[in-house]
Amino acid sequence: FIIGHAGTGKSLVAKLLAEHLGWELVNADLELENRIGRSMEDIAGDNHESTFYQNVIKILSAQSSRQNIVVNTDPHII
């Protein structure tokens, strides 16, 4: 898991690391957007915090049991 704020370079580091290791790259933000069906901007500004965090927990839990992946996420997701 690579965790950092927007603009810190975590996406680039995650991509390069995944390529170097030959592993799959997983962007947790995109996984969350796909699961909920809305953009992160909409989700983060939403008043449905419990739904947001329930989906975050499901996504990160599912990823933590997988092998040979690099997960890229922001601190707001955790």
Side-chain angles (χ1 to χ4, degrees), residues 4-7 12 29 32-33 36 39-40 42 45 49 54 56 59 61 72-73 77:
H5 292 285
L12 177 60
D29 286 351
L32 184 58
E33 287 177 348
I36 295 178
S39 72
M40 280 305 297
D42 288 344
E49 287 185 26
Q54 287 172 2
V56 167
I59 290 165
S61 293
N72 172 28
T73 190
I77 274 206

Side-chain angles (χ1 to χ4, degrees), residues 13-26 69-70:
V13 170
K15 178 183 177 207
L16 293 172
L17 180 61
E19 287 175 358
H20 178 76
L21 296 172
W23 291 3
E24 178 184 353
L25 175 62
V26 175
I69 64 169
V70 176

Side-chain angles (χ1 to χ4, degrees), residues 55-74:
N55 282 295
V56 167
I57 290 167
K58 288 177 187 176
I59 290 165
L60 295 179
S61 293
Q63 302 309 326
S64 69
S65 65
R66 297 179 59 202
Q67 294 185 358
N68 301 327
I69 64 169
V70 176
V71 178
N72 172 28
T73 190
D74 289 330

